[in-house]
Amino acid sequence: MKSARAKTPRKPIVKKGSQTNLKDPVGVYCRVRPLGFPDQECCIEVINNTTVQLHTPEGYRLNRNGDYKETQYSFKQVFGTHTTQKELFDVVANPLVDDLIHGKNGLLFTYGVTGSGKTHTMTGSPGEGGLLPRCLDMIFNSIGSFQAKRYVFKSNDRNSMDIQCEVDALLERQKREAMPNPKTPSSKRQVDPEFADMITVQEFCKAEEVDEDSVYGVFVSYIEIYNNYIYDLLEEVPFDPIKPKWNSCSTPMRNTDFVPPQSKLLREDKNHNMYVAGCTEVEVKSTEEAFEVFWRGQKKRRIANTHLNRESSRSHSVFNIKLVQAPLDADGDNVLQEKEQITISQLSLVDLAGSERTYRTRAEGNRLREAGNINQSLMTLRTCMDVLRENQMYGTNKMVPYRDSKLTHLFKNYFDGEGKVRMIVCVNPKAEDYEENLQVMRFAEVTQEVEVARPVDKAICGLTPGRRYRNQPRGPIGNEPLVTDVVLQSFPPLPSCEILDINDEQTLPRLIEALEKRHHLRQMMIDEFNKQSNAFKALLQEFDNAVLSKENHMQGKLNEKEKMISGQKLEIERLEKKNKTLEYKIEILEKTTTIYEEDKRNLQQELETQNQKLQRQFSDKRRLEARLQGMVTETTMKWEKECERRVAAKQLEMQNKLWVKDEKLKQLKAIVTEPKTEKPERPSRERDREKVTQRSVSPSPVPFLFQPDQNAPPIRLRHRRSRSAGDRWVDHKPASNMQTETVMQPHVPHAITVSVANEKALAKCEKYMLTHQELASDGEIETKLIKGDIYKTRGGGQSVQFTDIETLKQESPNGSRKRRSSTVAPAQPDGAESEWTDVETRCSVAVEMKAGSQLGPGYQHHAQPKRKKP
């Protein structure tokens, strides 16, 4: 579940407390609160020291399989119901306090639903102190003997510290002690019995490797975030009788000296760290003082009685412990008066208000508004975690919405790499909190996948270590005797000096002898000491000479090195100038390259556009050529057929004219060659009707498409060769057509006769003929033969293009036809009458070609009356 993740985008400022190469995930721990009643239904089970399992209680929605849904969640460590405050502190808070003493920041906050034990975990109860008093106890156990005097460090309004000398600090202390009500608690006060049991810690805890050459100062502050506003719980608000008075539950009250405080603003210091402007910071010198300050602010914190919790926190509380560290000077007596050498580290202990559902707490009015703001700030915290996780897992650069809530905005620096972040998830295993615990577990699962940069170790000031005890007088070390005691013990013991008898002459001589021995031994020791002293002086002299020669040698080498360094510095400056020049040239070349690349991309895009345009034009041209080719071919074929039809029609017309001329010539010849006789009487009309005159027979222009009836007199047909003589026809005769009794009947040899056109028949033929009948205006049936050519299409089918229409119509001759009157010619010798006639007198029914018809070229036959020669 853990992978390499990118850091959240932020200002391009490299902070002093972070490094980008090493990252640690947010440490998420789980603590399970004991049930209120032994027989109460439980929804959380501790599987092992890193895993818990959620059971769906009775009455809740089942999953798709019909079984109860069980979900497991993993943490860095899980603390069961029997975990003590000491065990929790050693695992979670002890490393944060150790980092605080070594100059690193830390953030520890408790998260969970209302009534899950967050405040108990942070503050504790009588007889069992929580994480906060234990952190204070460990801090003062570690730096107790190294603390600076009060007011040596002085806080300012820029989230930093100033250093005062001993005299200024003394004057400040005297001034504060002279005040009637000093703000700073005194270590000489008696501990308040209200919280005395909470700060009494039986186990002694101390940090290792504390810097003994530094002095320390501890400052604490206490704020709350209520309805997304920041309030200072340590601020001393003066009594104002005009303004309305309010109690801790935001309801009016009387006879009190509490006035609603003003909300504070968040600011950003020069190191881009967020802090509360104008917040009260109190310097404390012991655990009792620090917890007394905390308890004073805790009384002002907003709590209320809800349906789920008798003392429900209505705000997020933040208790800040700021540790100031400054090194001693070279003598180890006073604090080094250099502000740049001050190291400030901070540990923030946050007790978040519990998330709650209003239908369960039955909140109304102010409680409902408080619950809405609490849930909104916790939702913003979860959104920030989601965005951080997404940025680190997928490499995105989404903006983290820190500013949507004062809570996330205040601690944005910790998630940007300014210290370790630890979270304790407190859960109540009762079944009623199942849904809320499920949301808490999901948030914890997301949070422990977020990684923050690991803070670096602080820089070493460079002074000689051990300077605190260097100038202080030292006594005997352990049980080792002094040098004078050793010398006195080497002397022979003195005899008894008591003289009991006046005549005693032995005591004094023995005493004199012993003193002389001691004097002799002392003299020998003096001589030996002088001898060794001289030898030691000689050695010191040699050592001094050697040191001096080495110093001279080192000085010469140092001068050479300095010259070399000077030359290298000059070379470096020259190379830096050259590097700047090259960088400037590279920048110009990069800009030029960028311009050229942009031009190249534009030209490539333009070239691609032109190529696409040319390809489209080429494809359009090819389609147009194919279309034109098809049109030309179609037009050529159409005009070829049209020309053939016109030629055939012209030939037929010329044949008719030629036939008429031949008839006229024959008649003229007959008239010229006929002998003249007397003019006979004009025969009557009845005789004219009975007389049958023989006419010369000439070929009649009948098209090949019509064949006379069998009963008609035989005539000689003139056949001509057709282009389509060898083509097969589809003779399409609908079933609704009627059989006519005309002499000429449509007949096509070798044709496929169908009643309905089909693709199979069209595929076997090249020509198509449709027989269509309709009723003419005179009531006669008119038969039209619509002809066309069959073509194959691209899709594999057939298409018919109509090219010709022939019309077969039968007309009845009327009785009003006019005949031309003429004189009766003399009788011929052979008894036949000769009449001058034309084509109209030779054929009562003729077939002719009509060009220019609306339906196109075709045949039409009609009846015309006979005309006699005048």
Side-chain angles (χ1 to χ4, degrees):
M1 196 166 62
K2 298 177 181 178
S3 60
R5 298 172 175 87
K7 193 174 180 182
T8 305
R10 58 193 299 264
K11 295 182 180 180
I13 302 295
V14 180
K15 297 187 177 182
K16 63 180 181 180
S18 63
Q19 56 185 10
T20 57
N21 53 353
L22 297 177
K23 292 184 179 181
D24 293 323
V26 176
V28 181
Y29 304 85
C30 180
R31 187 179 191 184
V32 183
R33 175 181 176 173
L35 289 172
F37 304 99
D39 57 346
Q40 195 172 8
E41 185 181 1
C42 179
C43 66
I44 296 179
E45 179 185 358
V46 179
I47 303 300
N48 51 40
N49 60 348
T50 59
T51 308
V52 296
Q53 182 171 326
L54 265 69
H55 304 278
T56 305
E58 294 289 344
Y60 278 80
R61 184 174 55 191
L62 305 179
N63 62 358
R64 295 181 180 178
N65 297 329
D67 301 328
Y68 286 111
K69 186 177 181 180
E70 296 181 353
T71 311
Q72 291 187 357
Y73 295 92
S74 299
F75 297 89
K76 193 169 184 179
Q77 188 165 341
V78 176
F79 301 94
T81 57
H82 302 289
T83 302
T84 62
Q85 300 278 46
K86 176 66 168 56
E87 295 173 353
L88 182 65
F89 170 79
D90 290 340
V91 176
V92 181
N94 192 313
L96 295 178
V97 177
D98 189 75
D99 289 343
L100 176 72
I101 295 173
H102 291 88
K104 300 176 183 178
N105 300 328
L107 171 63
L108 173 62
F109 60 96
T110 56
Y111 181 84
V113 301
T114 181
S116 58
K118 301 183 298 299
T119 304
H120 172 75
T121 300
M122 187 62 68
T123 307
S125 59
E128 192 176 9
L131 299 180
L132 191 148
R134 292 179 184 273
C135 290
L136 294 173
D137 188 68
M138 180 177 175
I139 291 171
F140 288 107
N141 288 340
S142 303
I143 65 168
S145 59
F146 307 132
Q147 291 191 69
K149 294 182 180 181
R150 201 182 296 272
Y151 303 118
V152 170
F153 297 110
K154 187 176 181 180
S155 62
N156 53 31
D157 295 335
R158 298 179 300 276
N159 198 30
S160 60
M161 289 288 172
D162 298 328
I163 304 177
Q164 295 188 127
C165 62
E166 291 289 342
V167 177
D168 295 338
L170 179 61
L171 294 176
E172 185 76 17
R173 287 195 298 272
Q174 293 176 355
K175 180 180 178 181
R176 295 297 180 93
E177 290 174 0
M179 295 176 62
N181 294 321
K183 295 183 180 180
T184 304
S186 175
S187 59
K188 298 179 181 180
R189 292 183 183 181
Q190 188 177 0
V191 180
D192 190 347
E194 188 177 2
F195 59 83
D197 294 338
M198 300 177 65
I199 62 174
T200 302
V201 181
Q202 301 296 333
E203 301 85 0
F204 182 82
C205 187
K206 181 181 179 181
E208 298 179 356
E209 298 180 359
V210 180
D211 188 5
E212 298 178 350
D213 295 321
S214 299
V215 292
Y216 300 87
V218 180
F219 293 81
V220 295
S221 60
Y222 196 19
I223 64 171
E224 72 170 352
I225 303 175
Y226 175 73
N227 289 338
N228 207 27
Y229 290 98
I230 300 176
Y231 297 99
D232 184 6
L233 296 178
L234 303 181
E235 185 178 12
E236 296 292 338
V237 181
F239 174 72
D240 190 352
I242 300 177
K243 294 183 179 180
K245 315 302 184 300
W246 304 82
N247 61 6
S248 59
C249 297
S250 299
T251 57
M253 62 179 298
R254 298 180 180 179
N255 299 326
T256 181
D257 57 351
F258 178 74
V259 178
Q262 296 293 325
S263 62
K264 304 297 180 181
L265 299 177
L266 285 177
R267 301 298 177 103
E268 192 175 36
D269 61 8
K270 63 179 181 180
N271 295 323
H272 302 282
N273 294 320
M274 304 306 300
Y275 70 98
V276 180
C279 181
T280 303
E281 291 184 342
V282 181
E283 185 178 8
V284 293
K285 294 298 179 182
S286 64
T287 305
E288 292 77 10
E289 285 186 46
F291 202 82
E292 181 183 356
V293 173
F294 166 76
W295 199 253
R296 190 173 73 230
Q298 186 73 1
K299 292 181 179 180
K300 297 181 181 179
R301 188 183 177 188
R302 292 171 172 84
I303 60 175
N305 183 12
T306 64
H307 185 69
L308 298 180
N309 192 356
R310 187 170 58 86
E311 294 182 357
S312 176
S313 301
R314 314 309 298 167
S315 63
H316 309 299
S317 66
V318 182
F319 187 75
N320 290 319
I321 305 174
K322 187 177 291 185
L323 182 66
V324 185
Q325 178 180 353
L328 295 172
D329 56 10
D331 297 332
D333 297 332
N334 299 314
V335 182
L336 188 64
Q337 297 293 319
E338 293 182 7
K339 191 175 180 179
E340 293 78 10
Q341 296 295 334
I342 296 178
T343 301
I344 301 175
S345 54
Q346 179 173 294
L347 175 62
S348 298
L349 303 176
V350 185
D351 182 13
L352 296 177
S355 59
E356 58 187 34
R357 298 195 176 186
T358 55
Y359 76 90
R360 294 191 60 202
T361 59
R362 300 177 185 175
E364 296 178 355
N366 289 334
R367 300 291 85 79
L368 183 62
R369 179 168 173 262
E370 293 166 357
N373 285 289
I374 291 171
N375 293 334
Q376 181 63 35
S377 61
L378 295 178
M379 183 61 67
T380 304
L381 177 62
R382 179 167 185 170
T383 303
C384 293
M385 294 297 177
D386 289 334
V387 176
L388 283 171
R389 173 175 170 269
E390 183 178 354
N391 288 338
Q392 294 173 2
M393 290 184 66
Y394 304 109
T396 58
N397 290 324
K398 290 185 177 180
M399 182 65 66
V400 183
Y402 289 121
R403 294 179 178 269
D404 291 351
S405 173
K406 295 292 178 61
L407 178 66
T408 54
H409 194 194
L410 179 61
F411 297 117
K412 66 181 291 291
N413 305 104
Y414 290 96
F415 296 104
D416 288 341
E418 289 300 325
K420 291 183 178 179
V421 181
R422 297 289 181 266
M423 181 177 73
I424 301 176
V425 176
C426 299
V427 292
N428 193 342
K430 64 180 182 179
E432 290 80 1
D433 290 345
Y434 170 75
E435 293 185 0
E436 289 83 352
N437 289 331
L438 188 62
Q439 298 298 326
V440 170
M441 293 296 177
R442 291 173 180 172
F443 171 69
E445 188 177 21
V446 173
T447 303
Q448 61 186 346
E449 293 182 359
V450 177
E451 293 184 347
V452 296
R454 184 182 302 176
V456 297
D457 297 330
K458 65 176 183 178
I460 301 175
C461 64
L463 297 176
T464 306
R467 54 191 180 277
R468 178 185 286 272
Y469 301 111
R470 184 173 57 188
N471 296 330
Q472 295 182 2
R474 301 197 178 196
I477 302 174
N479 296 325
E480 295 182 4
L482 297 176
V483 179
T484 55
D485 296 338
V486 177
V487 173
L488 291 177
Q489 289 177 3
S490 63
F491 287 164
L494 293 175
S496 177
C497 299
E498 185 179 3
I499 300 177
L500 301 176
D501 190 4
I502 194 173
N503 297 321
D504 189 1
E505 296 181 355
Q506 296 180 359
T507 302
L508 290 177
R510 284 199 300 272
L511 181 59
I512 292 171
E513 183 179 1
L515 292 174
E516 288 179 352
K517 288 182 180 180
R518 285 196 171 199
H519 178 71
H520 180 67
L521 184 59
R522 178 175 177 275
Q523 192 66 35
M524 290 176 60
M525 292 178 66
I526 291 173
D527 294 340
E528 183 66 23
F529 177 75
N530 291 330
K531 183 178 179 182
Q532 291 182 0
S533 177
N534 293 330
F536 185 69
K537 287 181 179 179
L539 291 175
L540 286 177
Q541 188 66 31
E542 291 178 1
F543 181 75
D544 289 340
N545 293 333
V547 169
L548 183 61
S549 63
K550 287 184 178 181
E551 286 182 354
N552 295 331
H553 180 68
M554 294 300 295
Q555 188 65 31
K557 285 189 175 182
L558 184 62
N559 294 333
E560 293 178 359
K561 294 293 183 183
E562 286 180 353
K563 292 181 180 179
M564 186 182 298
I565 290 172
S566 300
Q568 291 179 353
K569 284 183 178 179
L570 294 175
E571 183 67 18
I572 289 172
E573 290 178 358
R574 186 184 66 81
L575 293 176
E576 285 180 351
K577 291 180 181 179
K578 185 177 180 181
N579 189 24
K580 289 182 179 179
T581 305
L582 294 176
E583 287 179 353
Y584 179 72
K585 292 182 179 179
I586 290 172
E587 184 178 359
I588 294 175
L589 291 175
E590 287 179 350
K591 291 181 179 179
T592 307
T593 304
T594 305
I595 295 172
Y596 286 160
E597 288 179 351
E598 185 68 24
D599 294 341
K600 180 181 177 182
R601 285 195 296 270
N602 295 334
L603 291 174
Q604 287 179 350
Q605 292 178 358
E606 186 177 358
L607 181 60
E608 291 177 358
T609 305
Q610 295 295 333
N611 288 335
Q612 294 176 358
K613 187 176 180 181
L614 289 175
Q615 289 178 359
R616 287 196 299 268
Q617 292 179 354
F618 183 69
S619 61
D620 294 341
K621 182 180 178 181
R622 285 187 297 179
R623 287 196 298 270
L624 185 59
E625 288 178 353
R627 184 177 177 184
L628 290 176
Q629 187 68 27
M631 293 176 64
V632 168
T633 304
E634 180 181 354
T635 306
T636 303
M637 294 177 63
K638 182 177 179 180
W639 281 107
E640 285 179 355
K641 293 180 180 180
E642 181 70 17
C643 290
E644 289 177 359
R645 283 195 293 271
R646 291 185 179 182
V647 169
K650 199 68 177 176
Q651 288 178 355
L652 185 60
E653 182 182 358
M654 297 302 294
Q655 287 178 2
N656 291 334
K657 290 181 178 181
L658 184 60
W659 180 75
V660 171
K661 288 182 179 181
D662 289 341
E663 290 295 325
K664 288 181 179 181
L665 288 176
K666 287 181 180 180
Q667 293 179 3
L668 183 60
K669 182 178 179 182
I671 293 171
V672 172
T673 57
E674 181 181 359
K676 294 182 179 182
T677 58
E678 293 183 2
K679 186 175 180 181
E681 283 184 357
R682 179 177 180 87
S684 64
R685 296 194 176 195
E686 291 80 7
R687 193 173 49 184
D688 291 339
R689 292 191 187 100
E690 294 175 358
K691 190 183 294 186
V692 178
T693 305
Q694 287 187 346
R695 296 180 181 180
S696 61
V697 180
S698 62
S700 177
V702 180
F704 78 96
L705 190 60
F706 294 95
Q707 181 175 346
D709 237 352
Q710 297 295 332
N711 299 326
I715 61 175
R716 185 173 56 90
L717 299 178
R718 296 180 63 186
H719 298 282
R720 65 181 180 87
R721 185 71 176 174
S722 175
R723 290 180 58 189
S724 60
D727 296 338
R728 294 194 65 184
W729 289 75
V730 175
D731 189 3
H732 182 189
K733 292 184 177 181
S736 59
N737 286 359
M738 297 177 59
Q739 186 69 26
T740 59
E741 296 179 355
T742 57
V743 175
M744 295 183 178
Q745 292 292 330
H747 176 71
V748 180
H750 306 292
I752 299 176
T753 304
V754 294
S755 61
V756 178
N758 55 69
E759 185 179 357
K760 185 176 180 181
L762 293 175
K764 296 180 179 180
C765 301
E766 293 83 15
K767 298 291 184 177
Y768 174 82
M769 181 179 70
L770 172 63
T771 303
H772 173 68
Q773 290 182 343
E774 62 181 6
L775 193 63
S777 60
D778 54 359
E780 298 292 336
I781 296 176
E782 184 180 57
T783 304
K784 291 184 179 181
L785 304 179
I786 305 172
K787 299 183 294 181
D789 297 333
I790 300 175
Y791 297 98
K792 291 185 179 180
T793 61
R794 294 183 180 179
Q798 287 79 25
S799 65
V800 177
Q801 182 175 0
F802 294 103
T803 59
D804 196 2
I805 296 178
E806 294 183 6
T807 303
L808 180 63
K809 185 177 179 182
Q810 184 176 2
E811 292 182 357
S812 298
N814 51 17
S816 60
R817 289 188 300 168
K818 295 181 180 180
R819 295 187 178 183
R820 295 181 181 179
S821 60
S822 58
T823 58
V824 179
Q828 295 293 337
D830 55 359
E833 291 185 355
S834 176
E835 294 182 353
W836 186 90
T837 181
D838 55 6
V839 68
E840 295 179 354
T841 63
R842 302 290 299 215
C843 184
S844 61
V845 179
V847 179
E848 69 179 40
M849 180 73 173
K850 280 194 174 182
S853 175
Q854 293 181 357
L855 299 178
Y859 290 102
Q860 184 175 3
H861 64 94
H862 59 277
Q864 292 183 352
K866 295 181 179 179
R867 290 185 304 174
K868 280 188 175 183
K869 183 178 178 183

